[in-house]
Amino acid sequence: CGLCSSVVVGTPVNGYLYYRCLALKKGKVIGVTCHAPHFRLEPVEEIVWNWLKMLLSNPQALQEGLDARIAETEQQINPFRERLTVIESLMEQNTNELDRALELYLSGQFPKEMLMSRKNELETTLQSLEHERLRLIEAIEDQILSPQQIESIYEFAAKIGDTLEEADQDFNHRRAIVDALDVRVILTVEDGEKVVYAQCALDD
């Protein structure tokens, strides 16, 4: 439900099937009161299914979806990249300072006790920075689609796309495709109009 974030379920009403927010039923969602309208099941499923078919049968639409996803991902990971730049700069500064301390010690300008103390301090700082650097790199890589992943998405879409006509006549087949693509739907109301937002593993 786009109004309260509760689960929406299928419900029969006067011989018709509707999607209804669970929070509409008193006591079903503790602490939440919702006034979302019912959504007729057939038009919602038709809208989502036609969107999926368009996506799976139209390489250009799929490419546009992937481009939008990549652009959104870049925005999301930009703070990680900026922090990574800061971390790498700090690592370089601390490494240079460690090298400088060693040079001063070798030239006799830095007592050994001071060198060891400063060396331990700088190495501890570098170790901490390295851990954060690796964590940031992992976070960035987890969100970026690799060329191999993109190729797999196209192959997956083509494989499913070949069975769309069969799925039109078979609910279980459609359901399998919806599950495979991890389709998520939000039903909401904007400016007095019922609105359906859909997303899947390939696009929003």
Side-chain angles (χ1 to χ4, degrees):
C1 175
L3 299 185
C4 73
S5 299
S6 298
V7 174
V8 173
V9 296
T11 305
V13 179
N14 298 326
Y16 295 97
L17 289 174
Y18 290 84
Y19 284 114
R20 184 179 71 168
C21 175
L22 266 183
L24 288 170
K25 192 170 182 180
K26 191 174 181 180
K28 279 290 185 178
V29 182
I30 297 175
V32 178
T33 301
C34 189
H35 302 287
H38 291 18
F39 285 70
R40 278 287 300 274
L41 184 145
E42 290 85 355
V44 170
E45 293 195 348
E46 182 180 359
I47 287 169
V48 175
W49 178 243
N50 286 338
W51 167 68
L52 283 175
K53 286 202 303 181
M54 179 273 297
L55 191 63
L56 292 167
S57 60
N58 185 338
Q60 182 178 350
L62 180 57
Q63 180 64 59
E64 290 173 356
L66 285 172
D67 288 345
R69 178 177 172 183
I70 290 170
E72 182 181 358
T73 298
E74 284 297 322
Q75 285 187 332
Q76 292 173 346
I77 65 176
N78 191 50
F80 291 92
R81 292 190 190 279
E82 292 176 352
R83 178 60 182 166
L84 183 60
T85 299
V86 171
I87 291 298
E88 290 175 341
S89 176
L90 289 172
M91 290 183 70
E92 183 178 2
Q93 292 175 25
N94 279 268
T95 299
N96 290 338
E97 190 172 342
L98 183 60
D99 291 341
R100 177 63 177 159
L102 181 59
E103 289 175 3
L104 290 172
Y105 167 72
L106 293 175
S107 65
Q109 302 178 52
F110 213 54
K112 182 177 181 180
E113 294 75 14
M114 290 183 63
L115 169 67
M116 296 308 297
S117 175
R118 188 61 178 148
K119 177 175 179 291
N120 290 337
E121 180 182 332
L122 290 169
E123 287 180 343
T124 298
T125 300
L126 282 167
Q127 186 177 31
S128 177
L129 290 169
E130 175 64 8
H131 285 157
E132 184 173 358
R133 187 184 75 87
L134 293 175
R135 182 183 61 80
L136 288 167
I137 290 173
E138 183 178 358
I140 291 171
E141 290 178 347
D142 283 346
Q143 296 185 64
I144 292 178
L145 286 175
S146 69
Q148 293 78 14
Q149 287 175 310
I150 293 175
E151 183 179 353
S152 296
I153 287 173
Y154 279 112
E155 291 175 353
F156 182 67
K159 182 178 179 180
I160 293 180
D162 290 339
T163 68
L164 290 177
E165 288 188 11
E166 177 185 342
D168 276 331
Q169 310 302 321
D170 185 343
F171 172 80
N172 289 328
H173 195 146
R174 290 198 301 276
R175 179 60 183 268
I177 291 175
V178 166
D179 287 344
L181 292 175
D182 192 27
V183 176
R184 310 291 179 89
V185 176
I186 295 175
L187 305 179
T188 191
V189 176
E190 296 180 357
D191 298 325
E193 296 288 338
K194 294 179 179 179
V195 180
V196 177
Y197 287 104
Q199 65 177 22
C200 70
L202 306 180
D203 189 22
D204 291 345

